[in-house]
Amino acid sequence: MARVFVVKVGTSTLTAGGKSLSKRQMLELARQICTLLDAGERVALVSSGAIAAGREALGFPRLQKTVAAKQLLSAVGQARLMQTWAELFALFERTVAQVLLTRGELSRRAGYLNARDTLQALLAHGIVPIINENDALATEEIRVGDNDNLSALVANLLDADTLILLTDIDGLYDADPRENPDARFFSEVMVVDDDLFAIAGGSGSAGGTGGMRTKLEAARCAGQFGTETVIASGEKENVLLRIAAGESVGTKIHAASRRESRVRWLLAEPPLGTLTVDSGAATRLKTGRASLLPIGITDVLGEFQRGDVVRVVRESGSPLAVGVAAYDADALRKIQGRPSKEISQILGDSLGDEAIHRDDLALL
């Protein structure tokens, strides 16, 4: 069975550290992706670089640092970026397709399924989907925020085997190796925890929006879906082919067990509220066979509607699950801590005994 790889390429890799897109670097990545396709694998490419391409196309203008200026550069650069990719892949007789996504499209179940079906159809026909966030139109409320996290969501959509994050350093270190020659390298990570985030800094290059922290966020997100992540240098020789062959290249971050599609969607959706549950409810939920009843809820935070995804936490604040709320926030505040048989009396009507049904719940 064909494996699915999601490859995310950052701006610093596409420009080879310069200001302009490096066609030589992009050609090399296209060659490796086509080699994988010829071997029967499936590859989706999440490509940064639109803003850098826009600056290049406009002669590197001095613009104010505003959202509108970035969206202007992205609108100009996205066309140039796609044209470059299309020309390079055509050398290997491969067709590419542009896919622009926003968080808003993926947060709706119907939008999630449509995006998944489109990407899977492209892969099935040997077409390389080149994916980017829709920076030219996205607003702060609906944008993913960076292509590292976008690539994790794409890995979720495609139930990918491996997410490969290409950057300008070899992988994860406990300090910046460009500044500290004694920095310790992590070749393998079992769990992305708070200690790892503590050593992750911000953006590593002037042209990019992500850094090692966003890569760890993406790896943790992908890991919850059951996808392993490899963080590696895009300049390393045959990096994609070597990772696909199982070589130890970069930092490999292990994943949890694979999840079924609806659970992966729940984990990808940003929660709009939080339900705190008592110890008894937490114990029952941990079996994976119980629904969350109102009587087990001790606190309701946030404003959300019926059908929105909410977070479930223990009284200590530790995360337990995410799920689809069967009642809105106001209704849950009225029935929290009360037996299900009293719901109709309190609300005047009942939408069911459960605050979250077990089929709409994903344990963390």
Side-chain angles (χ1 to χ4, degrees):
M1 184 175 178
R3 294 177 296 174
V4 178
F5 296 90
V6 174
V7 178
K8 183 268 175 178
V9 187
T11 300
S12 60
T13 299
L14 292 177
T15 61
K19 293 183 178 181
S20 304
L21 294 178
S22 170
K23 289 188 177 180
R24 176 180 295 182
Q25 181 83 331
M26 294 172 70
L27 176 63
E28 173 57 19
L29 293 172
R31 180 191 68 81
Q32 293 181 55
I33 290 173
C34 290
T35 300
L36 291 175
L37 295 175
D38 291 341
E41 312 290 14
R42 297 182 175 185
V43 183
L45 176 61
V46 178
S47 176
S48 299
I51 292 177
R55 287 195 180 100
E56 180 183 358
L58 296 177
F60 304 100
R62 291 186 177 181
L63 299 175
Q64 292 182 334
K65 295 182 178 180
T66 64
V67 172
K70 288 183 177 180
Q71 290 177 328
L72 178 156
L73 292 171
S74 178
V76 173
Q78 186 63 34
R80 188 184 185 98
L81 178 67
M82 280 303 304
Q83 180 182 5
T84 303
W85 277 126
E87 291 172 350
L88 295 176
F89 275 99
L91 297 175
F92 303 96
E93 300 181 339
R94 287 287 177 178
T95 301
V96 302
Q98 176 178 255
V99 180
L100 299 177
L101 297 173
T102 64
R103 168 76 77 177
E105 292 164 335
L106 301 181
S107 64
R108 296 177 294 106
R109 180 65 174 166
Y112 174 93
L113 294 175
N114 287 338
R116 183 195 67 181
D117 293 345
T118 298
L119 289 174
Q120 288 182 340
L122 291 170
L123 294 185
H125 287 83
I127 299 169
V128 181
I130 299 182
I131 304 154
N132 199 350
E133 187 162 21
N134 194 358
D135 288 327
L137 298 177
T139 63
E140 192 64 33
E141 289 77 15
I142 63 174
R143 71 193 311 269
V144 177
D146 62 81
N147 278 338
D148 290 327
N149 281 297
L150 177 62
S151 67
L153 297 180
V154 172
N156 175 34
L157 284 172
L158 294 174
D159 192 15
D161 296 275
T162 305
L163 169 62
I164 302 174
L165 303 176
L166 296 183
T167 184
D168 52 3
I169 59 175
D170 292 333
L172 179 63
Y173 289 82
D174 64 357
D176 190 335
R178 293 164 294 197
E179 299 177 0
N180 184 354
D182 296 324
R184 181 167 64 95
F185 179 69
F186 296 88
S187 61
E188 196 170 26
V189 172
M190 300 305 296
V191 178
V192 178
D193 55 19
D194 291 342
D195 290 338
L196 281 179
F197 280 111
I199 67 173
S203 178
S205 61
T209 59
M212 195 54 67
R213 183 177 183 85
T214 63
K215 289 171 178 56
L216 290 178
E217 290 172 353
R220 182 170 64 178
C221 181
Q224 290 182 337
F225 306 143
T227 299
E228 71 175 19
T229 299
V230 177
I231 303 172
S233 170
E235 297 181 2
K236 194 173 289 293
E237 185 178 2
N238 287 322
V239 58
L240 299 180
L241 303 181
R242 293 166 64 187
I243 291 171
E247 287 189 37
S248 179
V249 180
T251 300
K252 180 178 180 179
I253 301 176
H254 290 264
S257 58
R258 302 189 75 77
R259 309 273 193 143
E260 60 96 15
S261 176
R262 181 167 175 80
V263 172
R264 294 202 311 274
W265 171 72
L266 286 172
L267 291 170
E269 173 65 1
L272 298 180
T274 300
L275 305 182
T276 303
V277 299
D278 60 29
S279 59
T283 299
R284 287 189 293 273
L285 291 178
K286 284 176 63 178
T287 66
R289 299 186 298 274
S291 298
L292 174 60
L293 303 180
I295 195 170
I297 300 174
T298 61
D299 195 15
V300 178
L301 298 176
E303 299 301 328
F304 51 87
Q305 302 299 315
R306 179 174 187 260
D308 287 339
V309 173
V310 296
R311 181 185 296 106
V312 181
V313 301
R314 299 175 179 85
E315 291 183 314
S316 64
S318 62
L320 180 63
V322 292
V324 178
Y327 292 86
D328 63 32
D330 289 339
L332 284 176
R333 291 189 183 99
K334 294 175 182 177
I335 62 177
Q336 70 180 61
R338 305 294 289 271
S340 296
K341 63 183 180 181
E342 297 181 6
I343 292 177
S344 294
Q345 178 183 349
I346 297 171
L347 299 180
D349 195 7
S350 174
L351 297 172
D353 292 343
E354 303 87 3
I356 302 178
H357 192 276
R358 65 176 178 270
D359 292 342
D360 292 327
L361 195 70
L363 295 175
L364 298 176

